[in-house]
Amino acid sequence: MTHVALGITGASGALYAVRTLAALLATGATVELVISDYGRRLFRDELGPEAAIDRLPAYLTTRWGSAVERGRLIVHSNKDLGASIASGSQSCEAMVIVPCSMKTLAGIAHGLSRSLIERAADVMLKERRPLVIVPRETPLSLPQLKNLVLCAEAGAIVVPAMPAFYQQPATIDDLGDFMAGKILSVLGVPHTLYPAWTGEVAAQAPSPGAAARR
Ligand SMILES: Cc1cc2nc3c(=O)[nH]c(=O)nc-3n(C[C@H](O)[C@H](O)[C@H](O)COP(=O)(O)O)c2cc1C
C-alpha cells in the first residue's frame, strides 16, 4: 500500500490518528491528509498545540522517530472538493477515516459528499477501493448503528475504536499502537505495532512498547 488517503474528524481519539499516520509514513507511503475543523480542535484538545497541522511532521518525528520521514505527506483542505482525492481518477489505493465522527459517518452512509473527507470516502466506495472507517462514539443511537450498517453494506470496513487488553497495554501509547496496528492489518500492511496472538496469555507476549520500557 503506497498511496493512502487519511481523513481525521472531530471524534475523540486523536492519538489513533497520529499513530496511524506515523505508521503509514514509516512504510514509505504517500499519505493524502484531510482534517476537519473539529478534527483540528480535537487534535489541540487531546494532543496539545505542538500537534498543530503546520507542526505535524516535526511532532511525528519527535514521537516516533525519523522513520516517518520515509513517507510523503500531502495536506488538503476539507473544503477543497476539487482536490485530487475528490476524483475517481486519482491513484489512492485506500482511505482510512480515523477517528470517524457520527456526523461524517452519517454523511458517508447517505452519500452526501459535503466535505472533501465525505467526497473522498464516496469515491472509494464507488470505485470499490478499501475504505476503513474507525467510528468513535458511545453509547450508539439507532440511527448511528444503521449508518454503520449502511457503510458496511456499501463495502466499507468498520474498525471500531475498541483497543483490546489481552496484549497487556502499559500506557495510553500502547492503545494507540493497537488501533493503528489493526488499521494497517486490514489494509494488508505488515507491522509490529502489537504482538500477534499466539494462544498464550499476554504475560508471555507483552506489547512492543511495554517491553521496551521494561
Ligand atoms: C471535545 C469534543 C469531543 C467530541 N467527541 C466526539 C466523539 O467521540 N464522537 C462523535 O461522533 N462526535 C464527537 N464530537 C462531536 C463532533 O466533533 C461534531 O459532531 C462535529 O460536527 C463533527 O464534525 P466532523 O465530522 O466534520 O469533524 C465531539 C466534539 C467535541 C467538541
Side-chain angles (χ1 to χ4, degrees), residues 9-12 36 38-39 41-42 45 101-104 136-137:
T9 70
S12 189
S36 72
Y38 270 85
R41 173 179 168 162
L42 271 283
D45 290 353
S101 74
M102 296 301 103
K103 174 192 151 195
T104 293
R136 193 277 144 200
E137 187 51 278

Side-chain angles (χ1 to χ4, degrees), residues 8-13 35-42 45-46 78 97 99-105 114-115 117-118 135-138 140 144:
I8 300 174
T9 70
S12 189
I35 311 183
S36 72
D37 288 347
Y38 270 85
R40 287 169 195 253
R41 173 179 168 162
L42 271 283
D45 290 353
E46 297 185 354
N78 199 27
I97 304 176
C100 185
S101 74
M102 296 301 103
K103 174 192 151 195
T104 293
L105 173 76
R114 296 168 295 188
S115 64
I117 294 174
E118 290 182 6
R136 193 277 144 200
E137 187 51 278
T138 194
L140 289 163
Q144 292 162 348

Side-chain angles (χ1 to χ4, degrees), residues 34 37 76-82 115-116:
V34 195
D37 288 347
H76 300 284
S77 162
N78 199 27
K79 296 181 178 65
D80 184 6
L81 294 174
S115 64
L116 180 58

Side-chain angles (χ1 to χ4, degrees), residues 95-168:
M95 180 173 187
V96 180
I97 304 176
V98 56
C100 185
S101 74
M102 296 301 103
K103 174 192 151 195
T104 293
L105 173 76
I108 297 167
H110 297 278
L112 300 183
S113 290
R114 296 168 295 188
S115 64
L116 180 58
I117 294 174
E118 290 182 6
R119 169 62 188 167
D122 210 29
V123 166
M124 289 292 144
L125 294 177
K126 83 184 177 71
E127 299 293 330
R128 304 289 195 266
R129 296 184 206 161
L131 171 65
V132 181
I133 293 175
V134 185
R136 193 277 144 200
E137 187 51 278
T138 194
L140 289 163
S141 68
L142 186 58
Q144 292 162 348
L145 290 164
K146 286 182 173 176
N147 286 336
L148 286 167
V149 171
L150 281 173
C151 286
E153 286 176 343
I157 305 161
V158 178
V159 180
M162 292 181 184
F165 290 84
Y166 56 75
Q167 79 281 20
Q168 296 206 335

